[in-house]
Amino acid sequence: MALRRKMLAELLEWKNREGHHCLVLKGARQVGKTYIVEQFAKENYERVIRINFVESPSLRRIFDGDLSADVILSNISLLIKDAVLIPGKTLLFLDEIQECPNARTALKFLSGDSRFDVIATGSLLGINYKNVVSFPVGYTDQLEMFSLDFEEFLWARGVRPDSISELKGYFDRGEQVPPAVHERMLRLFREYIVVGGMPAVVDDFVKNADFRSVRRLQKAILSDYEDDIAKYAEGNEKAKARACFLSIPRHLAKDYKKFQYSLVEAKGTSAKFAGSLMWLYDAGIINFCYNLTQPELPLEGSVTEDCFKVYMRDTGLLMAMLDEDYQEEIISGNLGIYKGAIYENVIADLLVKGGRKLYYFEYRSRLEIDFIIKYNRQLTAVEVKSADNTKAKSMNSAIENWRVPHGIKLSSRNTSHTEKVDSLPIYMVMFL
């Protein structure tokens, strides 16, 4: 069964936009970039010419020397058997473009040629770190692709779009969800936490419903991430990036989740490890959540750059970094040492997939709001509660003492409201 992805609609919007440039589709390893472009090409073009610079390194010669559009197209005709270039009906698909820096530079010149559409895909790491002579700034359109969000996971699990629309109706009206539907959605959300959104993992789970198989696939992806660190990181950055990567579960196990370099290495410092963390961010492996000096709009104006939390981008991969028992614990609703950290991580991941940047507010270790967002044009505090205890002292303090006008509590409980706080089932994060 093909997984339905929202990226198809974004690609179609790009194609139909007048005057569009070459498109660079970025994303972490194995989030489905190649698959989605091939599906898009099949549905929207008569011809597609795919050049994969990993599978066919000899084709890098196409981009040696003169990088004008006419020369590149001539080289394609000469070097690729059966390449048919039909103006207006052909897509040139440059896959794994990070392995051919000259092709990355050539996008500037291909963007000036309206005869053919061009989509380039690659890992964030490779695109950012390979030795590109000249980045085509201003000459390309860019999209970033993530692993499946929760709504896409629901589609894969057989939940119909009209059922999701009906659920959103309860959200819009502020009504409680029928108990049977509520329990089913909680179960599916817990599945999403364990399985995550990596396409190969989701596809395997939909077919086999085997959490052991899920974990094996996730472990393989984590191993590939470590291979990427070894491949792309330079010099002693390899060891530092790997140490930061492996420290993430230790950070999330702490009640105080601010990233501490001393948990990476005894006496570790920002000077030594800050670049390694940014390396992991560029690889599409982690998200940063920055502390605010004041909970006020605009959020970007109150950021404390050196005070932040780190979350894994795909919570399923985080689960694979923990003991195997945690899969069963999550499905059954128990949490153990990690308490709400896993739930915070999945909310962080879904907020980013929804287009939001991550901020939190902490004051003197006495008050901490998990996330601060702008919602319905007003400052909103978001608290994530993993257990039935949904008391939120920090949120109440933020509303009373810091003039935060609105709060949202996400938990396993059904919908309820007070004057300033909306309590929502945790799965409704997809509607924020």
Side-chain angles (χ1 to χ4, degrees):
M1 179 186 70
L3 297 176
R4 178 181 174 187
R5 301 301 305 272
K6 296 176 182 178
M7 182 55 68
L8 272 178
E10 294 191 56
L11 292 174
L12 186 60
E13 190 278 329
W14 163 78
K15 183 181 189 300
N16 292 334
R17 189 166 64 242
E18 186 175 350
H20 61 260
H21 298 302
C22 298
L23 176 68
V24 177
L25 180 60
K26 300 186 294 184
R29 173 189 281 272
Q30 298 186 42
V31 295
K33 301 182 297 295
T34 299
Y35 174 83
I36 206 69
V37 175
E38 288 180 336
Q39 184 178 353
F40 173 70
K42 188 182 301 183
E43 295 175 1
N44 292 279
Y45 297 90
E46 286 187 17
R47 297 279 181 172
V48 57
I49 298 173
R50 178 183 174 223
I51 301 174
N52 184 301
F53 294 108
V54 172
E55 294 175 356
S56 305
S58 63
L59 295 181
R60 298 173 195 174
R61 291 181 297 160
I62 291 170
F63 299 91
D64 289 342
D66 192 331
L67 293 179
S68 68
D70 285 338
V71 170
I72 291 170
L73 296 173
S74 176
N75 289 343
I76 288 173
S77 297
L78 288 170
L79 294 174
I80 300 178
K81 185 180 179 181
D82 300 327
V84 179
L85 294 160
I86 305 174
K89 297 181 180 180
T90 300
L91 174 70
L92 178 58
F93 176 20
L94 305 178
D95 201 9
E96 304 284 5
I97 196 172
Q98 75 276 2
E99 299 299 331
C100 184
N102 284 347
R104 184 78 166 94
T105 300
L107 295 180
K108 173 180 179 179
F109 306 102
L110 291 170
S111 282
D113 190 297
S114 59
R115 289 173 292 175
F116 306 98
D117 283 348
V118 180
I119 298 179
T121 64
S123 70
L124 289 167
L125 257 187
I127 286 177
N128 290 341
Y129 284 83
K130 282 289 181 180
N131 185 26
V132 179
V133 175
S134 174
F135 280 95
V137 177
Y139 293 91
T140 59
D141 299 321
Q142 298 204 20
L143 289 172
E144 184 171 354
M145 189 169 181
F146 302 96
S147 62
L148 278 74
D149 65 20
F150 182 52
E151 187 173 12
E152 290 172 319
F153 179 80
L154 291 178
W155 294 339
R157 293 291 281 131
V159 179
R160 299 191 312 273
D162 60 326
S163 296
I164 298 174
S165 296
E166 185 176 346
L167 189 67
K168 190 174 186 300
Y170 293 106
F171 170 82
D172 292 336
R173 297 187 298 271
E175 297 174 357
Q176 288 207 336
V177 179
V181 176
H182 176 67
E183 289 303 321
R184 184 188 181 209
M185 291 302 300
L186 287 176
R187 168 78 186 191
L188 288 167
F189 193 80
R190 290 194 291 265
E191 283 183 1
Y192 178 71
I193 289 174
V194 172
V195 175
M198 301 303 281
V201 180
V202 174
D203 186 59
D204 182 82
F205 179 70
V206 169
K207 292 175 180 175
N208 302 311
D210 183 348
F211 286 111
R212 289 172 299 179
S213 179
V214 161
R215 189 174 179 84
R216 282 194 298 271
L217 290 170
Q218 291 167 334
K219 285 286 191 181
I221 294 172
L222 291 172
S223 178
D224 287 342
Y225 281 178
E226 292 196 48
D227 288 345
D228 278 349
I229 292 173
K231 179 178 181 180
Y232 291 108
E234 298 180 356
N236 63 0
E237 198 68 41
K238 298 179 191 294
K240 292 191 294 181
R242 185 174 185 275
C244 288
F245 175 55
L246 296 177
S247 78
I248 293 172
R250 293 198 296 275
H251 281 91
L252 293 177
K254 300 289 186 181
D255 287 334
Y256 183 56
K257 297 181 184 64
K258 173 189 171 183
F259 192 87
Q260 299 168 276
Y261 295 102
S262 60
L263 289 180
V264 180
E265 177 186 271
K267 299 183 180 179
T269 63
S270 170
K272 183 172 182 178
F273 289 106
S276 302
L277 275 180
M278 186 56 67
W279 196 97
L280 293 174
Y281 174 80
D282 286 340
I285 295 173
I286 64 172
N287 286 316
F288 288 112
C289 181
Y290 288 99
N291 188 34
L292 302 173
T293 56
Q294 298 280 340
E296 61 185 12
L297 298 174
L299 297 173
E300 294 85 350
S302 301
V303 166
T304 308
E305 294 285 352
D306 60 352
C307 186
F308 54 85
K309 298 185 286 188
V310 169
Y311 295 106
M312 282 286 290
R313 284 216 178 173
D314 187 274
T315 306
L317 295 182
L318 171 64
M319 292 295 298
M321 297 174 76
L322 307 178
D323 292 338
E324 192 167 354
D325 293 344
Y326 277 101
Q327 284 188 333
E328 184 178 344
E329 294 291 317
I330 286 291
I331 294 299
S332 64
N334 299 322
L335 292 167
I337 186 176
Y338 286 91
K339 297 180 180 177
I342 293 169
Y343 279 77
E344 278 185 42
N345 197 98
V346 72
I347 297 303
D349 182 37
L350 290 172
L351 288 174
V352 169
K353 287 173 177 174
R356 295 185 180 277
K357 295 180 180 179
L358 299 179
Y359 306 99
Y360 75 105
F361 179 59
E362 185 267 339
Y363 181 71
R364 294 183 180 178
S365 301
R366 296 198 301 264
L367 179 153
E368 183 175 334
I369 300 295
D370 296 331
F371 303 102
I372 299 286
I373 65 174
K374 182 181 178 182
Y375 179 68
N376 285 342
R377 299 185 179 181
Q378 62 181 344
L379 191 73
T380 299
V382 178
E383 285 274 76
V384 183
K385 299 297 180 182
S386 55
D388 288 335
N389 181 5
T390 58
K391 292 182 180 179
K393 293 181 181 179
S394 288
M395 179 178 288
N396 293 335
S397 176
I399 290 172
E400 293 170 7
N401 302 319
W402 293 87
R403 298 181 181 178
V404 175
H406 181 227
I408 293 175
K409 286 194 294 187
L410 297 169
S411 74
S412 60
R413 292 191 174 184
N414 214 321
T415 303
S416 64
H417 305 276
T418 63
E419 182 181 356
K420 293 186 176 181
V421 178
D422 296 320
S423 296
L424 302 174
I426 195 165
Y427 52 79
M428 283 189 173
V429 63
M430 63 179 167
F431 302 136
L432 297 182

